[in-house]
Amino acid sequence: MLFNSYQFIFLFLPIVWAGYFALGRLSKNASIIWLALASLLFYSASNWQFVALLSLSVTFNYLIGSLLIRAKLDPTPRSAMLATGVSTNLVLLGYFKYAGFLVANLNQMLGVQLTLNILLPVGISFYTFTQIAFLVDAYRGEVSRYDLPVYTLFVTYFPHLIAGPIIHHKDIIPQFERGGGKMVGLHLVLCGLIIFAIGLFKKTCLADGIQPYVSLAFGSEVPSFHAAWLGALAYTFQLYFDFSGYSDMAIGISLTFGVFLPLNFNSPYKAASIIDFWRCWHMTLSQFLRDYLYIPLGGNRRGRTLRYVNLMITMALGGLWHGAAWTFVAWGVLHGLYLCGNHFWNAVRPDLPSLSGRISGIAGATLTFVAVVVAWVFFRANDMVSALTILSKMAAPAHEQLSYREMLAGLFVFCYALIAWFAPNTQTIMGYDHYNRRVGEGLIRFSERPVFVYVAAALLGFGILGIQQHSEFIYFRF
Amino acid sequence: MATPLANIIRFLTAGITTVSFVAAINFIIDPLQLFWHHGVFYAYTADSRLQNAGLIRSQDYNAVLMGTSLSVHLRPSDVNRTFGVRAVKLAMSGSDSVEQRFVLDVAMARRPALVFWELDDRTFFESPAIDENKFIRPDLYRRNLKGIIGYLLDLDITRESFFIALSAIKPFKAIAHGLAAAQYLKFYGDEVDEIGTLPATTDLSAIYNAGSIRAAFATAEKYPKEIYFRYNYQTLVRNFERDFISIIRDHPETKFCVFVPPYSILQFVTIRDVSPEALQTIYDFSAYAFPRLLSLPNVTLFDFRVAQDITHDLDNYMDLLHYRPMVDQRVLSLLAGGKYRVTRAAPSDSIERLARQVATFDTATMRPHAVQPTSDAGGPGCR
């Protein structure tokens, strides 16, 4: 089921919401079980064949986690327990996501014709990472005991289940335990609805609106210089508004249940460096990779060279997490190189006075943006040959006359760039503070100026009108 | 100070009002003319899968033209003039037999006297069910609640409505046409007769010439398209019975003028060279379909694949299949005159002639090895 569908907005969400708070008055457990079951129903609407897999995964990880939390084991069996848990998760993810990729590569290398058709369970990358984090923290002794219904809800909670944000048990489970649907927070509901409206507008109007121009670069024909750049830029903005729109919707929906989800985006295209970009793009994934991969590898604690090696490993695996294709690996490796370059520059650059610092800030932001656009070509292209063809066109300026379609694409890209670079982001508009559990304090003033509510309502209206296109979120496939 | 509850109510009410306002605009402008033909704001789109839902409602017709991209350039006015009917063109580029049957089925509710139906074996390849086809909106044709609401609450339709209304003011018409040229707007045609036709200013000889088709032929021989390997006799027959025969059989009161279009000879020569099995399947399918069609009393059948004066003149084509508008005119006159009509007495004659033409065509000289007999006698035309 898609957030941008009539059945979700007008049927599923109101029923689940009403049931959650109605049951919450009776019993906290009842409301939690209701929400967990509703989440499984949400998942089964488009992935019924994988509900059993999801349920097995939840049960298995809960059992392993419980043993790590409760059983007084010696260090060796305890480590073995963690290794079993993590490796089982990775094997499962590897089988569903990477076995086909492996077979395709074997076919190419050995000249054989092995066939393997495996459907990818939607959301497996997200719920696998969420649970690996849980197991690792349980091993470290950083997890208190959770009941099975709460744990199940934590993993399956429908606002985040399909495409994140990747949530952390320490952040989310206490919110379920404290809230449990006992009382409707009307202020949170209002703020949640407005954030949802902004997200829906971003997805159905902005992301889907620029989508037709992506084919200028990524269509079936070899693009011209202008078409390659315009298509790559169109994809740059489509991906941002699509994924940040999805994240806004998830945050908004969750807020109506009284649960604050972590932010996933913080105006990444305004970033002045690639390090800054990764602090603002898919933030929950970056945090996961940092805490559970980069730092365990040694992080920056073992010298500059090993830091660069760790960065490259982290980013290459981060790329592979997005999809089983060499293009994603190339995307990750390229960002790894960017990050190494950025850290190296930070280590050797001279101190600059404030004026030239400002100029270098603008130069840094421009360079970062161009570098990100170039990397998106690998991310979006069907294969490496296509990616390199498009990039070769982007690198070869030509004096060609722009077609009407290219001119219009240019206008779209310009307008979207203005929004991405200069407009405040959703959390700024709404005053969303995930850590301090605050939102919409400015809205108390806005309520005296209802125009804000009307503008948000118009966004909701246009967002609903844009639903017709029924396009999936790009990040569903990861 | 307004309470959160008051603001929630305000927010939801304003949201519903926005949606209702937009729906009202779409209802009033009604780009597809589903509800009325007010004559003030109107335009047509070449997206025939969308436009057809409106044409079936808005046009006064007693004849229907159905087909693929090979028939989209035809003008209904030419059909009207040739046959003395009021025709509506419902041909859809790249359409499959499921789409054609679905659209034609809706159009048949108006009980047309005559249906011109292009018979293209490729339309009978395996194709999705109509409700799983993402290029067409079946509920719009069914005019059920989902279809109507989907139409009224559609941001794309709103954009079209807005520009249709704006185009009523002359200076904005040029802007709308510019946006249509940029493929941003769909509804921009002024005349229903011109839907899908080439603009009068088009340099036809630059598009349709022997150079274009020779290049297409060379590419197809070097890089055979996947489509050449999709011919499956059982599938073709099954879908032909399900989607083609069933409609003709269910409407005995309507005359069906069925024609196989004049593809270039190089289309079959390519298949001969890259997939002889597919060529045999094409012949076998024709051998099945022709007698089957002619067993129905309301069918007149033409096979223009053997119209050598058209199919061997490479200047008629832009690629292996698509021919210039003048050929459309010729097809109409042949349909009216009866030449190349397949007779019940000898349903396989044209297939055998086609096989001879294909077998003897020399790609080095782009001519047949030997002169072929030119007996084109058929019978009375479609009237």
Side-chain angles (χ1 to χ4, degrees):
Chain A
M1 198 182 298
L2 299 172
F3 289 168
N4 55 328
S5 67
Y6 293 139
Q7 52 273 47
F8 177 82
I9 295 172
F10 296 117
L11 200 67
F12 180 84
L13 187 57
I15 291 173
V16 172
W17 188 86
Y20 179 69
F21 286 103
L23 289 171
R25 286 166 182 256
L26 304 174
S27 139
K28 191 171 77 180
N29 269 347
S31 64
I32 282 172
I33 291 169
W34 165 261
L35 201 48
L37 289 175
S39 297
L40 287 172
L41 179 70
F42 172 85
Y43 188 77
S44 69
S46 50
N47 299 275
W48 59 269
Q49 65 272 53
F50 295 119
V51 173
L53 177 71
L54 174 62
S55 306
L56 272 174
S57 170
V58 169
T59 310
F60 171 79
N61 283 292
Y62 179 75
L63 287 174
I64 296 282
S66 296
L67 282 173
L68 287 170
I69 296 164
R70 292 179 206 174
K72 293 186 173 21
L73 300 170
D74 290 334
T76 308
R78 199 172 156 74
S79 299
M81 187 74 70
L82 174 69
T84 306
V86 172
S87 57
T88 304
N89 277 297
L90 292 177
V91 165
L92 212 60
L93 181 65
Y95 172 73
F96 281 104
K97 197 159 179 173
Y98 301 107
F101 178 56
L102 189 67
V103 166
N105 281 291
L106 282 176
N107 282 343
Q108 204 162 27
M109 281 192 302
L110 306 176
V112 290
Q113 289 291 320
L114 301 172
T115 51
L116 191 63
N117 293 315
I118 301 169
L119 281 176
L120 177 67
V122 170
I124 192 170
S125 309
F126 290 92
Y127 68 70
T128 301
F129 270 30
T130 301
Q131 295 189 101
I132 286 176
F134 168 74
L135 293 183
V136 172
D137 287 354
Y139 173 79
R140 289 172 179 167
E142 295 172 1
V143 181
S144 56
R145 185 181 159 182
Y146 300 133
D147 293 333
L148 181 60
V150 176
Y151 179 79
T152 306
L153 177 57
F154 154 67
V155 179
T156 62
Y157 186 42
F158 73 88
H160 92 102
L161 177 60
I162 307 288
I166 298 169
I167 55 177
H168 199 275
H169 57 94
K170 274 192 260 185
D171 178 30
I172 299 299
I173 290 183
Q175 295 192 65
F176 288 136
E177 289 181 329
R178 273 198 304 273
K182 269 183 274 186
M183 206 171 64
V184 181
L186 287 176
H187 176 70
L188 295 185
V189 171
L190 174 64
C191 293
L193 287 173
I194 293 174
I195 292 173
F196 177 79
I198 294 171
L200 185 65
F201 181 81
K202 277 183 177 178
K203 164 62 187 162
T204 65
C205 295
L206 296 182
D208 291 352
I210 202 167
Q211 184 268 334
Y213 302 106
V214 174
S215 63
L216 282 172
F218 300 97
S220 53
E221 290 174 12
V222 175
S224 64
F225 169 73
H226 295 123
W229 270 106
L230 288 167
L233 286 165
Y235 182 67
T236 299
F237 292 116
Q238 184 207 0
L239 183 63
Y240 170 61
F241 286 113
D242 185 284
F243 193 20
S244 75
Y246 176 87
S247 297
D248 285 351
M249 279 191 261
I251 289 168
I253 293 163
S254 185
L255 209 51
T256 65
F257 289 91
V259 176
F260 283 73
L261 288 184
L263 290 170
N264 233 3
F265 289 90
N266 190 18
S267 300
Y269 293 150
K270 294 175 186 171
S273 69
I274 209 76
I275 296 172
D276 195 18
F277 173 81
W278 277 105
R279 288 188 187 122
C280 304
W281 178 273
H282 204 174
M283 294 150 71
T284 57
L285 177 68
S286 306
Q287 283 154 16
F288 179 92
L289 292 174
R290 183 196 63 202
D291 294 344
Y292 297 100
L293 187 57
Y294 176 67
I295 291 175
L297 281 171
N300 58 1
R301 298 188 304 275
R302 293 176 189 164
R304 193 183 288 176
T305 308
L306 275 179
R307 173 193 211 168
Y308 295 154
V309 171
N310 293 337
L311 269 176
M312 291 303 296
I313 293 171
T314 303
M315 295 310 291
L317 289 175
L320 198 59
W321 175 86
H322 283 84
W326 288 113
T327 47
F328 290 113
V329 178
W331 173 77
V333 167
L334 195 52
H335 269 284
L337 289 171
Y338 290 164
L339 283 168
C340 292
N342 199 164
H343 281 290
F344 180 76
W345 169 250
N346 285 352
V348 300
R349 74 172 172 185
D351 286 335
L352 298 165
S354 64
L355 180 61
S356 58
R358 197 169 299 158
I359 293 167
S360 72
I362 294 169
T366 309
L367 184 64
T368 301
F369 183 73
V370 172
V372 167
V373 173
V374 166
W376 286 141
V377 172
F378 286 103
F379 198 82
R380 172 61 178 79
N382 293 328
D383 49 56
M384 288 296 285
V385 175
S386 308
L388 293 173
T389 304
I390 294 164
L391 286 171
S392 69
K393 289 292 171 184
M394 288 166 72
H399 292 289
E400 296 150 342
Q401 198 166 3
L402 288 173
S403 68
Y404 279 122
R405 188 154 180 257
E406 287 168 348
M407 281 189 241
L408 194 63
L411 186 63
F412 264 76
V413 164
F414 177 72
C415 294
Y416 279 58
L418 289 182
I419 298 170
W421 288 336
F422 300 110
N425 59 33
T426 309
Q427 55 266 34
T428 307
I429 294 168
M430 292 303 296
Y432 185 84
D433 184 347
H434 161 243
Y435 291 107
N436 295 308
R437 310 282 187 249
R438 283 189 198 144
V439 64
E441 292 185 350
L443 273 180
I444 295 164
R445 287 199 312 279
F446 277 123
S447 65
E448 292 163 1
R449 289 184 293 159
V451 68
F452 177 80
V453 175
Y454 292 139
V455 170
L459 293 183
L460 178 71
F462 282 104
I464 288 171
L465 290 164
I467 282 175
Q468 274 299 311
Q469 297 162 88
H470 282 301
S471 65
E472 275 199 355
F473 294 95
I474 294 172
Y475 258 69
F476 273 24
R477 68 186 76 135
F478 306 138
Chain B
M1 184 185 296
T3 63
L5 182 61
N7 270 328
I8 289 172
I9 293 168
R10 187 180 279 164
F11 174 78
L12 294 176
T13 309
I16 292 166
T17 307
T18 305
V19 171
S20 307
F21 178 70
V22 168
I25 290 175
N26 285 342
F27 181 73
I28 292 165
I29 305 291
D30 187 15
L32 281 176
Q33 302 176 39
L34 283 182
F35 307 113
W36 48 50
H37 184 60
H38 43 53
V40 181
F41 307 115
Y42 67 94
Y44 298 97
T45 171
D47 179 355
S48 44
R49 285 171 179 78
L50 181 62
Q51 180 65 77
N52 287 347
L55 291 180
I56 292 171
R57 297 289 305 174
S58 65
Q59 299 302 302
D60 173 28
Y61 62 88
N62 61 8
V64 175
L65 174 66
M66 175 54 80
T68 65
S69 54
L70 295 168
S71 302
V72 291
H73 294 325
L74 268 164
R75 287 173 183 270
S77 61
D78 290 335
V79 180
N80 297 349
R81 202 166 35 248
T82 310
F83 296 93
V85 294
R86 299 184 308 282
V88 65
K89 181 178 66 183
L90 304 178
M92 297 168 282
S93 293
S95 55
D96 57 54
S97 65
V98 175
E99 291 174 310
Q100 291 190 6
R101 178 189 61 166
F102 176 75
V103 173
L104 195 53
D105 213 18
V106 178
M108 294 306 285
R110 301 268 292 273
R111 299 196 170 279
L114 191 55
V115 171
F116 299 92
W117 202 347
E118 173 204 322
L119 176 67
D120 183 332
D121 42 34
R122 296 167 311 149
T123 63
F124 302 113
F125 287 169
E126 211 61 85
S127 42
I130 198 71
D131 286 301
E132 286 161 18
N133 183 328
K134 59 183 178 181
F135 300 108
I136 198 165
R137 301 183 186 193
D139 290 313
L140 205 53
Y141 287 84
R142 294 178 184 128
R143 286 176 66 83
N144 58 21
L145 195 63
K146 193 177 165 198
I148 298 297
I149 288 179
Y151 172 61
L152 294 177
L153 303 186
D154 184 336
L155 208 55
D156 287 342
I157 295 292
T158 308
R159 183 180 63 205
E160 302 292 345
S161 295
F162 179 73
F163 279 99
I164 287 172
L166 215 57
S167 297
I169 307 163
K170 211 170 179 183
F172 290 106
K173 201 169 182 67
I175 295 173
H177 275 250
L179 290 170
Q183 297 168 32
Y184 182 68
L185 292 180
K186 282 183 174 180
F187 287 78
Y188 61 93
D190 296 326
E191 298 290 337
V192 70
D193 198 45
E194 289 175 0
I195 297 173
T197 60
L198 294 171
T201 52
T202 308
D203 179 5
L204 294 176
S205 58
I207 301 173
Y208 302 94
N209 57 66
S212 295
I213 185 174
R214 279 171 191 266
F217 173 68
T219 306
E221 291 255 316
K222 196 171 178 186
Y223 308 106
K225 289 181 181 170
E226 176 261 344
I227 196 169
Y228 299 139
F229 306 99
R230 284 178 63 197
Y231 284 91
N232 177 289
Y233 179 77
Q234 305 297 340
T235 306
L236 297 183
V237 168
R238 188 189 65 224
N239 294 344
F240 169 71
E241 285 288 335
R242 185 193 63 200
D243 298 329
F244 213 92
I245 291 292
S246 63
I247 285 198
I248 299 174
R249 201 181 44 217
D250 293 347
H251 294 276
E253 75 287 357
T254 301
K255 284 186 179 173
F256 285 83
C257 186
V258 178
F259 64 97
V260 188
Y263 313 107
S264 80
I265 186 68
L266 290 183
Q267 162 73 357
F268 298 102
V269 172
T270 307
I271 301 175
R272 176 195 74 186
D273 294 348
V274 302
S275 176
E277 302 82 13
L279 187 62
Q280 189 56 48
T281 306
I282 290 170
Y283 295 149
D284 292 346
F285 174 67
S286 296
Y288 172 84
F290 288 6
R292 181 75 179 98
L293 282 165
L294 294 171
S295 71
L296 300 167
N298 53 338
V299 171
T300 314
L301 176 64
F302 292 79
D303 188 353
F304 297 127
R305 292 177 298 184
V306 289
Q308 204 167 339
D309 56 329
I310 300 174
T311 63
H312 286 53
D313 181 353
L314 301 186
D315 278 326
N316 281 331
Y317 296 88
M318 64 180 284
D319 53 31
L320 300 178
L321 299 170
H322 297 93
Y323 41 78
R324 60 170 64 218
M326 271 175 61
V327 176
D328 288 326
Q329 306 284 340
R330 179 115 164 82
V331 165
L332 288 180
S333 67
L334 291 171
L335 287 173
K339 203 174 175 186
Y340 300 112
R341 181 169 166 177
V342 182
T343 63
R344 287 182 168 80
S348 58
D349 264 12
S350 68
I351 305 166
E352 289 161 11
R353 284 170 57 198
L354 175 66
R356 278 198 301 276
Q357 287 181 8
V358 174
T360 60
F361 194 84
D362 181 2
T363 52
T365 60
M366 288 291 173
R367 291 171 191 282
H369 283 306
V371 176
Q372 297 297 311
T374 55
S375 163
D376 303 326
C382 286
R383 292 284 180 180

